[in-house]
Amino acid sequence: MTTVAVFVDIQNVYYTVREAYGKNFDYNKFWARVTANREVIKAVCYAIDRGDQKQREFQNILRAIGFDVKLKPFIQRSDGSAKGDWDVGIALDAMEYAEQADVIVLVSGDGDFDLLVQKIRAKHGKKVEVYGVPQLTAASLINAASEFIAIDKALLLN
């Protein structure tokens, strides 16, 4: 059976799906699609923790589906800007599991991941599937992927 490791950039997915469709991503539908006839060796969602109850409930839903949830604290800077970025953590985990999985799945439209995807494909010879909102996913990331799968109506909550 094909093995898969899944890495989800929750902030990116949340904001791009909301902007493009005004809806939310359906993690259950996504899980069913991405794990069909595959053995999951790792599945991680990366989020920023603001500490509110609704967010904790969402994180528990993700865990019940089968995801590990990694959290970083929300940091409000003195100038009013905010910080909360998982790019390096996602890259490190994806590189680690690229040795073990047949397929790496990345859910993000962030063009910063194009180098990661290229490296996994070149160094490990693995298939990398990228899920993203087509109009809000960097062309460089789409081009780097073995396969780009559009987040569209089929993967949204009604």
Side-chain angles (χ1 to χ4, degrees), residues 13-14 17-25 153 156-158:
V13 173
Y14 175 80
V17 169
R18 295 286 294 183
E19 182 178 329
Y21 304 113
K23 296 190 177 209
N24 289 313
F25 187 65
K153 292 176 187 168
L156 303 178
L157 287 170
N158 294 328

Side-chain angles (χ1 to χ4, degrees), residues 85-99:
D85 189 325
W86 266 108
D87 289 6
V88 172
I90 292 169
L92 290 170
D93 286 351
M95 286 301 292
E96 179 181 342
Y97 285 93
E99 297 175 11

